[in-house]
Every structure is written in C-alpha cells, then in structure tokens.
C-alpha cells in the first residue's frame, strides 16, 4: 500500500508531542512493507523554534533514532496531483491548515484514494467551532485518539464514519536504556504544559 501523511512536522518535536506518535506510525507502516510519503510545511513553527533554539543541525537529530524516516517540506502552492501520484491512502493530521484540508478533499472527488482525518487532540470538544470549520465532506472518515472523541464527530455529524485509533509510543525507541547514566526517581511520559491538568499533576504527583 502507498500512503501519504500530511502533518505539522515529522522532523521537529519542539512543543509538538504528536511528532513522537506520527514517527511511530510511519515506522510501523514502513516495517510492514508499505511505501510512505510524509509532507510537512516548509515553515512549520515547531521546526522554526527548534532551529532558533538549537541551530540548523537540530532538524537532523531525529535521524539518530529514526535513520530511515524522511519528510518533504512543501510550500503552500504544492502540486497535490503530482505529490499524490499513485497513492492509495492519505492521512491528514489535524494540525494542518484548513485550506490544505479542503484542497485534499477536493482532490478526493476526482481521484481514487482513501482519505482520512487524524485527530489526536481535544479541540473538537474544547473548540468546536474551530474544528467544525474543517471541510471534511469528502473525507472517508476520522481516526480519533479516543472513543469519546470518536463519538463527538459522529454525534455532531461532522463525519459519517469514525474509528478509535489510540496514540502510543514507539517501543522500538522508547524503552528503558540500561546504559543510561541519568539518575532520578521518576520518568514522566505524557502531556505537560499549557495549563492543562497542571493543578492535578501538582497535587497528585509532584506534591
């Protein structure tokens, strides 16, 4: 199967935790023998901040853990017809511009490929107008990171089909390293910041 993934960034995980899960998805598809093309905006803010803080070489850091991952950094006027030539499945992550989401839907009307919207956030609940502005009328379905989110899409008639597709860390990369010289009593794996669950984490974990 030939798959294309449109995401905010595969190269940078600067304040962009989804990159970890997306890298794992691409890795799994490749290891199963599928062809994968990844597209990300050339000026993705996560990549810009990473370079500003650590220098241009920071964008190659991901290759240490994922030497086989590649990404095409595209401009807004990308020729989608050419980019998706021969593609069977297109997955569009929810951190994409509304215009790109709509353009891919329009292309789906005249091209034969499966088109799925991948939602790994809670904006459909907390910012419903923002998410309702995405034109998913030509999409085949939504891959939602939780069952509650899946039901939101169906109950609000935002899409006809939706499936629960949980996020997960890639255990080929994220596992205890016996030779690590880093000490400590706790390893935190999860979301942090933006005042989301900060009080609960302070009360139940840190304090």
């Amino acid at each position: 199967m030939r798959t294309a993934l449109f995401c905010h960034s595969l190269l940078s995980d600067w304040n962009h935790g989804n990159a970890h899960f997306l890298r794992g998805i691409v890795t799994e598809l490749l290891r199963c023998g599928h062809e994968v093309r990844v597209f990300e905006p050339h000026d993705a803010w996560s990549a810009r901040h990473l370079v500003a803080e650590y220098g241009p070489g920071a964008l190659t850091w991901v290759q240490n853990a994922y030497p086989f991952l590649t990404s095409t950094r595209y401009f807004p006027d990308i020729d989608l017809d050419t980019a998706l030539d021969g593609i069977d499945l297109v997955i569009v992550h929810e951190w994409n511009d509304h215009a790109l989401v709509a353009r891919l839907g329009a292309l789906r009307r005249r091209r034969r490929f499966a088109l799925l919207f991948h939602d790994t956030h809670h904006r459909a609940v907390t910012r419903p107008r923002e998410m309702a502005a995405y034109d998913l009328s030509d999409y085949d379905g939504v891959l939602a990171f939780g069952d509650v989110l899946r039901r939101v899409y169906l109950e609000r008639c935002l899409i006809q089909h939706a499936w629960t597709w949980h996020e997960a860390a890639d255990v080929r990369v994220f596992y205890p390293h016996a030779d690590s010289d880093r000490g400590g009593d706790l390893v935190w794996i999860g979301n942090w910041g933006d005042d989301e669950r900060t009080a609960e984490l302070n009360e139940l974990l840190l304090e």
Side-chain angles (χ1 to χ4, degrees), residues 6-8 18 41 45 74 91-106 109 115-142 149 153 156-160:
F6 285 84
C7 62
H8 173 72
N18 289 308
W45 62 260
Y74 68 88
I91 300 175
V92 185
H93 190 256
E94 46 97 9
W95 273 25
N96 275 291
D97 289 338
H98 290 79
L100 176 70
V101 171
R103 285 184 62 197
L104 289 166
R109 287 183 223 131
L115 180 59
L116 298 174
F117 190 70
H118 184 204
D119 194 340
T120 59
H121 207 261
H122 49 63
R123 288 188 299 159
V125 176
T126 57
R127 300 180 184 176
R129 290 185 180 179
E130 183 178 321
M131 295 306 292
Y134 282 110
D135 182 2
L136 304 180
S137 57
D138 292 293
Y139 280 63
D140 295 295
V142 166
L149 188 62
Y153 273 94
R156 295 182 182 174
C157 300
L158 298 175
I159 199 78
Q160 188 173 358

Side-chain angles (χ1 to χ4, degrees), residues 13 33 39 49 51 55 64 67 76 90 93 96 122 124 130 134 136 157 171 184 188 193 195 207:
D13 53 31
F39 298 91
H49 282 285
V51 169
N64 294 329
V90 178
H93 190 256
N96 275 291
H122 49 63
E130 183 178 321
Y134 282 110
L136 304 180
C157 300
V171 295
W188 171 262
D195 293 324
E207 296 176 2

Side-chain angles (χ1 to χ4, degrees), residues 3-16:
T3 301
L5 170 67
F6 285 84
C7 62
H8 173 72
S9 184
L10 195 75
L11 301 176
S12 173
D13 53 31
W14 192 98
N15 197 26
H16 175 41

Side-chain angles (χ1 to χ4, degrees), residues 21 66 70 76-77 88 99 113 126 129 135 186:
F21 305 120
Y66 298 97
T70 60
D77 61 351
D88 304 302
F113 57 78
T126 57
R129 290 185 180 179
D135 182 2
L186 172 71

